[in-house]
Amino acid sequence: MQQLSHNFYIDVILPLPLERNFSYAVTQAEFEFIQPGIRVAVPFGKSKVYTALVLKCHRNTPTAYEVKSIHSILDETAVVHSVQLRHWLWISEYYMCTLGEVLSAALPNALLLQSESVISVHPHAKFDECNLSDDQYLIIEALEQEPRLRVDAVQAILGKKQIFQVLKPLIEANIITTNQELVHKYKPKLLRSVSLDVKFKGEKGLEELLNQLYRSKKLKEIILAYFSLSKDSELVSVSDLKKMSNASSAQIKSLIDKFIFEEHFIEVDRLKLDGFAIEKSITLSPEQTEALANIKTVFEHKEACLLHGVTSSGKTEIYVKMIEEVLKEGQQALFLVPEIALTSQLVLRLKHYFGDQIDVYHSRFSPNERVEIWNRVLKNSENSRVVIGARSSLFLPFSNLGLLIVDEEHEPSYKQFDPAPRYHARDAAIVLAKLHGAKTILGSATPSIESYFNAKKHNKYGYVSLTKRYNDVVLPDIELVDLKDKYKRKRMKGHFSDRLISEIEQSLSESQQIILFQNRRGYAPILSCNTCGHTPECPNCDVSLTYHQHANQLRCHYCSYGTVVKNECGACNSVDLDTKGFGTEQIQEETLALFPDAKVARMDLDTTRGKYSYDRIIQKFERKEIDILVGTQMLTKGLDFRDVKLVGVLNADHLINFPDFRAHERCYQLLQQVSGRAGRTKTRGKVIIQSYNPDHNILQQVSSNQYVKMFEEQTYQRRIYKYPPYFRLIKITLKHRDYNRVNEGATWLATALSQVFGPYVLGPEFPPVSRIRNLYHKNILVKIPEDQSLQKTKDVIHRVKNSFLSTKLFRPVRVVINVDNY
Ligand code: ADP
Ligand code: ZN
Ligand code: ZN
């Protein structure tokens, strides 16, 4: 133990949900070297080691606890910028979570090595053993015996505690990887290719080579095939080469063995297409030009601008122009999309303009890939000047952001639900922009009530609109079909009305594509017994199991529990079982039966689990290898398909009847967005919406495109019933295995809060699904009027929560706080 008398300390964020940051002692030399944003390995608890992030350096001896020394310094320069740290502080304060939780969400896992991390050899590791240190060599050797090792096991093998510094270079050189299971799932596709060895380059080399091969006509043929294939690049894929020259694997191998070909495995960047000339010029339409000019005017005196442009009005092209200007200034741009499914289409489109300056970031990348992108952004690399990503890309180490775009800003998936930090990416983006002195564009065809309110009523954002589709294509014709009437008059086949069927036939006959929307996956949400009425429920959750026919399974959509379907009722053994309700799987089946000649595919959570599975479906649809695409809301978000003529919504009712104050707003957005996929380029599209309530106000507003009317009606209701945008909401959820404890705890907490906030405390109330993964849930909602201090409200909630958790009875109850609850 070194002497700690010289009083040099650092405060660090540990990747743990701790209420405060901890101080550690450092030597004077370390103190002079360390700056905020550098990682250090520190001991914590009895015997654990964590990677922590330095928040500040100081010389005030902590008195509350015994200070430990750090183990080692892991970085030479900061991996997190100070502007980022300020953003993280804001997130932790605003969303009432700890900095440790923000750190865990923000930093790629592989940068957060800890005792429990698991390491393994990278599947594509390339290294020379001679370059390894003794310790590193021991680690690799150990991994040959035992492919997955915990970091604390490595500590034991090396007989030392301070091993993060040994591991770090191995991770950075892609020799080892952490948390291997992810890497396996999303292994990048590798293409085996060959190049000609350098000594045979040029005319003379070639002559020499052909001489050398004089005995084998076949090998010469392969070489000639290589030349005709290798026009622009030296690398030729082995499969192309085999096809062209009719060569066998053994013949190719012999050329490799003779050192004539050099073998390569290159990662196939599925987004790279041939002939991708950077085409710098798009000509904006007069409307787009005006909108662009208006946005620039707005930015002269406002930091954010809402771009309200109908579907297919060409918002993306306006973003492109704005990004171009930012790049000219040498700044970075961040383009947020709500759904990973959207990134690839967008990347393809943007590559046309920005070539290799684009990077993509989202949760389906492997740990090492994430570290690579992190480091490129950190270095402000040319290759990541424009980052397209899901909400977590807000955490990347930008140093010089000029523009943030939040596309489809109304999307609820921008709000992180679980775990903490429960941040809203749109709102956090605006704060991040402010910290960088950058601007934010919020784009949508159906803005959230909050954003439209902020623009139009509060004057907080600027407002620019595009009311026409690009190329003057007319917005689709939306027809409401009354299901009550159709069933009564027997005009239904399965879940398809005669109107929908005839429109599908029409589109198919014109070789136009069709999208069918049903916002529920699986075959049917309920399987029930006709004799006794029993429905199988999840053993862990208070919800019935969804029937998945294809897998012959009953599955829980809350906890992923699954069980094989039995042919008889679990309660009375009757075999008379029936399904109620319907999901995408059933619609796909009915579609196949009704239109046997059509090519039908499905896009929902069940068909898109792999890293590239979205892309595959989307690309097949784009290439017209699919006629009818059945899907959930995944289909609604911003996808740009050229030949979709018809969109069918099988049942709009569960969207209307959802028990949530945002249900009608969401219903409007979802139906307008899914309708917006129809008729984007040439002919006018057609939309059929089937419902038992076709006269419902919200459906009438959808069918006549009356956003403003929807807004006025919804805000009227929200004002009366005290909801956003007039009141802020903080939701407090209690969770515990024991029903009574949750019940009593919720009453205790609600009573304590009511003493301060009176009638603005709602509940406690059990949510519709009150038990998930064996935990009972109960909610309390705190409403905050505009003139009440948000900070003081949070302080009270914090205090009440702490005294709640300090009672013995309630300490084990989990209390989850969700600010601006969605
Ligand atoms: P939005 O994002 O508003 O829904 P998009 O940006 O996807 O609309 O544009 C709709 C379609 O119109 C796209 O296929 C796009 O390529 C095309 N488009 C829009 N603006 C232009 C333009 N200025 N020049 C050429 N094509 C355009
Ligand atoms: Zn039964
Ligand atoms: Zn369950």
Side-chain angles (χ1 to χ4, degrees):
M1 201 59 161
Q2 52 195 191
Q3 280 294 315
L4 301 177
S5 53
H6 26 250
N7 294 348
F8 295 104
Y9 301 103
I10 56 171
D11 283 358
V12 302
I13 315 173
L14 282 151
L16 299 168
L18 303 165
E19 286 288 338
R20 60 151 205 260
N21 305 310
F22 279 80
S23 298
Y24 284 85
V26 292
T27 64
Q28 182 169 3
E30 286 170 336
F31 187 82
E32 277 156 17
F33 181 81
I34 291 175
Q35 15 153 329
I38 273 190
R39 290 174 304 150
V40 287
V42 298
F44 189 79
K46 278 208 185 74
S47 60
K48 297 224 169 111
V49 183
Y50 288 93
T51 299
L53 195 78
V54 177
L55 197 57
K56 66 176 187 205
C57 308
H58 63 89
R59 307 200 55 183
N60 312 321
T61 310
T63 49
Y65 52 93
E66 192 201 333
V67 186
K68 295 179 182 169
S69 294
I70 64 166
H71 273 176
S72 55
I73 300 173
L74 296 175
D75 296 307
E76 274 157 33
T77 52
V79 292
V80 172
H81 295 302
S82 58
V83 56
Q84 258 178 300
L85 284 173
R86 275 188 282 153
H87 191 227
W88 295 5
L89 272 166
W90 177 84
I91 287 179
S92 96
E93 275 163 21
Y94 188 87
Y95 293 105
M96 299 182 73
C97 64
T98 68
L99 265 177
E101 288 168 319
V102 183
L103 177 70
S104 303
L107 220 56
N109 244 325
L111 293 178
L112 275 178
L113 217 53
Q114 43 182 298
S115 306
E116 290 97 340
S117 300
V118 173
I119 60 161
S120 47
V121 174
H122 193 283
H124 313 300
K126 273 194 228 131
F127 59 93
D128 188 346
E129 282 177 5
C130 310
N131 296 334
L132 300 178
S133 71
D134 289 351
D135 282 344
Q136 291 171 339
Y137 183 79
L138 279 176
I139 294 171
I140 299 293
E141 203 182 48
L143 285 170
E144 272 163 20
Q145 306 290 322
E146 186 79 54
R148 293 162 45 81
L149 282 176
R150 274 172 54 137
V151 166
D152 40 16
V154 178
Q155 279 173 316
I157 290 166
L158 298 188
K160 58 166 90 167
K161 271 197 176 160
Q162 305 181 2
I163 62 157
F164 283 20
Q165 266 170 328
V166 184
L167 292 173
K168 191 185 152 224
L170 293 176
I171 294 174
E172 284 178 354
N174 274 337
I175 296 171
I176 64 170
T177 172
T178 64
N179 300 329
Q180 176 76 52
E181 44 285 349
L182 283 170
V183 180
H184 269 315
K185 249 192 257 163
Y186 306 121
K187 218 187 315 195
K189 194 177 163 200
L190 294 181
L191 187 65
R192 182 167 174 243
S193 346
V194 290
S195 66
L196 194 64
D197 194 279
V198 278
K199 60 180 177 288
F200 302 119
K201 293 264 165 70
E203 235 167 88
K204 225 172 126 218
L206 180 63
E207 209 180 294
E208 196 179 303
L209 173 62
L210 293 176
N211 280 339
Q212 192 183 325
L213 294 175
Y214 71 99
R215 265 186 304 176
S216 167
K217 201 174 142 229
K218 187 72 212 176
L219 294 187
K220 269 196 270 187
E221 254 176 56
I222 299 173
I223 298 294
L224 294 173
Y226 169 84
F227 274 104
S228 69
L229 285 169
S230 71
K231 271 187 216 97
D232 343 285
S233 118
E234 295 188 359
L235 288 173
V236 169
S237 92
V238 169
S239 72
D240 287 352
L241 193 57
K242 278 158 102 177
K243 233 182 267 160
M244 179 148 191
S245 60
N246 246 331
S248 69
S249 299
Q251 288 161 337
I252 305 258
K253 185 164 180 301
S254 86
L255 285 167
I256 294 169
D257 292 344
K258 289 185 162 83
F259 298 106
I260 294 169
F261 278 154
E262 194 184 336
E263 188 177 23
H264 307 263
F265 289 90
I266 51 170
E267 216 171 280
V268 189
D269 183 348
R270 285 155 203 259
L271 304 170
K272 226 173 240 156
L273 293 190
D274 291 338
F276 239 179
I278 298 187
E279 103 189 36
K280 280 264 187 248
S281 59
I282 7 166
T283 319
L284 295 184
S285 70
E287 286 82 15
Q288 285 172 319
T289 312
E290 196 188 326
L292 181 66
N294 289 342
I295 293 174
K296 288 185 188 164
T297 314
V298 162
F299 282 162
E300 282 166 18
H301 51 271
K302 288 219 164 71
E303 279 152 345
C305 180
L306 175 62
L307 175 59
H308 183 183
V310 297
T311 52
S312 204
S313 53
K315 294 185 285 294
T316 315
E317 285 66 22
I318 294 175
Y319 305 147
V320 166
K321 290 288 181 194
M322 293 296 297
I323 295 172
E324 266 175 10
E325 302 202 351
V326 166
L327 293 181
K328 260 188 241 148
E329 301 291 315
Q331 292 184 302
Q332 300 161 307
L334 173 60
F335 194 135
L336 289 178
V337 289
E339 178 92 33
I340 303 169
L342 278 179
T343 50
S344 31
Q345 247 197 2
L346 194 64
V347 172
L348 273 182
R349 282 176 74 177
L350 296 198
K351 282 220 166 182
H352 276 293
Y353 307 109
F354 304 116
D356 289 336
Q357 291 172 293
I358 294 183
D359 230 332
V360 188
Y361 190 76
H362 59 62
S363 57
R364 293 215 178 170
F365 284 116
S366 72
N368 289 59
E369 284 173 308
R370 286 204 241 179
V371 173
E372 283 167 23
I373 300 168
W374 185 279
N375 287 334
R376 280 201 294 273
V377 175
L378 185 67
K379 285 184 299 204
N380 192 6
S381 145
E382 290 275 345
N383 295 325
S384 50
R385 286 285 156 80
V386 184
V387 175
I388 297 175
R391 55 172 186 248
S392 60
S393 38
L394 277 176
F395 294 119
L396 286 169
F398 296 103
S399 47
N400 191 11
L401 266 177
L403 178 69
L404 284 93
I405 292 161
V406 184
D407 198 19
E408 313 291 346
E409 67 82 30
H410 61 277
E411 276 293 335
S413 53
Y414 275 127
K415 179 78 157 85
Q416 160 110 351
F417 176 65
D418 221 14
R422 298 177 174 81
Y423 64 105
H424 197 300
R426 173 192 61 222
D427 303 338
I430 290 172
V431 173
L432 183 65
K434 250 188 215 144
L435 291 170
H436 279 272
K439 305 290 184 191
T440 313
I441 303 180
L442 311 175
S444 176
T446 52
S448 62
I449 300 270
E450 278 90 346
S451 295
Y452 194 81
F453 188 86
N454 276 332
K456 289 290 217 182
K457 306 267 149 138
H458 261 180
N459 238 344
K460 243 161 92 181
Y461 310 153
Y463 178 83
V464 173
S465 73
L466 280 166
T467 54
K468 273 205 255 167
R469 286 189 149 185
Y470 179 73
N471 251 347
D472 287 334
V473 187
V474 191
L475 282 166
D477 167 35
I478 303 179
E479 178 181 329
L480 299 168
V481 170
D482 184 354
L483 284 173
K484 253 190 332 278
D485 172 66
K486 292 290 178 192
Y487 273 110
K488 206 164 71 198
R489 294 197 288 136
K490 304 217 162 16
R491 300 280 168 81
M492 297 291 292
K493 278 188 189 157
H495 296 95
F496 291 70
S497 63
D498 54 352
R499 284 294 303 127
L500 184 53
I501 292 174
S502 86
E503 287 292 337
I504 294 175
E505 279 166 352
Q506 170 87 18
S507 292
L508 288 174
S509 73
E510 293 166 1
S511 341
Q512 297 270 358
Q513 291 172 300
I514 297 142
I515 285 178
L516 295 178
F517 171 76
Q518 168 62 9
N519 210 15
R520 199 165 236 164
R521 65 198 165 91
Y523 190 85
I526 291 171
L527 183 70
S528 71
C529 170
N530 280 339
T531 310
C532 76
H534 171 79
T535 38
E537 295 207 337
C538 176
N540 312 318
C541 311
D542 182 17
V543 69
S544 60
L545 294 168
T546 300
Y547 175 41
H548 287 249
Q549 191 182 53
H550 182 69
N552 194 34
Q553 267 205 337
L554 292 169
R555 284 192 205 141
C556 174
H557 287 184
Y558 285 82
C559 75
S560 341
Y561 168 85
T563 176
V564 175
V565 180
K566 300 203 184 65
N567 292 327
E568 53 184 51
C569 170
C572 74
N573 295 349
S574 160
V575 289
D576 185 11
L577 304 179
D578 206 357
T579 59
K580 292 210 174 68
F582 61 101
T584 44
E585 208 186 25
Q586 190 169 160
I587 294 307
Q588 184 184 19
E589 182 190 83
E590 290 184 10
T591 311
L592 284 163
L594 286 168
F595 310 99
D597 297 330
K599 283 164 284 175
V600 182
R602 174 158 59 93
M603 179 157 144
D604 57 28
L605 214 63
D606 297 314
T607 62
T608 55
R609 301 223 183 251
K611 180 173 175 182
Y612 294 111
S613 44
Y614 294 109
D615 302 9
R616 267 197 297 276
I617 299 174
I618 290 170
Q619 282 171 17
K620 273 178 109 173
F621 198 53
E622 279 174 342
R623 290 195 300 255
K624 300 194 94 175
E625 292 164 22
I626 297 169
D627 301 314
I628 305 179
L629 187 56
V630 180
T632 54
Q633 54 176 327
M634 232 175 236
L635 281 176
T636 63
K637 302 176 183 176
L639 292 165
D640 184 31
F641 297 118
R642 326 219 101 232
D643 293 308
V644 175
K645 165 85 179 298
L646 176 68
V647 167
V649 176
L650 284 126
N651 186 317
D653 298 322
H654 62 270
L655 299 175
I656 304 175
N657 300 328
F658 199 73
D660 182 278
F661 74 93
R662 284 185 227 267
H664 290 177
E665 174 191 359
R666 290 233 180 112
C667 174
Y668 182 92
Q669 288 161 340
L670 213 56
L671 291 177
Q672 277 276 313
Q673 290 289 341
V674 72
S675 304
R677 301 315 110 205
R680 290 173 71 85
T681 38
K682 286 166 286 219
T683 45
R684 186 173 189 197
K686 174 85 189 172
V687 180
I688 301 265
I689 299 178
Q690 304 188 140
S691 163
Y692 283 98
N693 301 292
D695 297 327
H696 195 287
N697 274 355
I698 206 82
L699 293 184
Q700 292 295 327
Q701 287 153 5
V702 168
S703 68
S704 50
N705 284 310
Q706 289 176 308
Y707 177 84
V708 177
K709 210 163 165 191
M710 184 281 291
F711 173 83
E712 298 293 352
E713 186 179 330
Q714 293 306 313
T715 43
Y716 175 78
Q717 305 261 350
R718 304 255 185 112
R719 188 164 51 217
I720 290 182
Y721 296 107
K722 301 192 167 52
Y723 280 105
Y726 300 96
F727 281 67
R728 286 174 189 275
L729 299 180
I730 296 181
K731 186 166 91 175
I732 304 166
T733 304
L734 280 70
K735 302 183 187 179
H736 193 266
R737 285 182 160 268
D738 178 5
Y739 174 87
N740 289 326
R741 211 181 289 221
V742 169
N743 228 356
E744 284 161 28
T747 306
W748 190 103
L749 208 61
T751 310
L753 290 168
S754 302
Q755 278 163 9
V756 187
F757 303 121
Y760 290 141
V761 178
L762 266 65
E765 202 176 330
F766 284 111
V769 178
S770 61
R771 188 176 53 116
I772 299 174
R773 293 173 202 272
N774 284 318
L775 296 180
Y776 287 96
H777 288 213
K778 201 160 189 178
N779 294 328
I780 298 165
L781 201 61
V782 179
K783 291 181 168 178
I784 307 163
E786 250 172 318
D787 55 5
Q788 179 178 317
S789 154
L790 188 58
Q791 194 49 54
K792 286 200 181 119
T793 309
K794 288 179 187 168
D795 291 345
V796 170
I797 292 177
H798 220 98
R799 250 198 340 264
V800 172
K801 176 191 161 189
N802 283 345
S803 53
F804 176 79
L805 290 178
S806 64
T807 65
K808 200 167 157 236
L809 181 63
F810 297 135
R811 185 165 313 131
V813 177
R814 268 198 71 201
V815 180
V816 171
I817 300 181
N818 193 333
V819 178
D820 293 345
N821 156 57
Y822 256 64

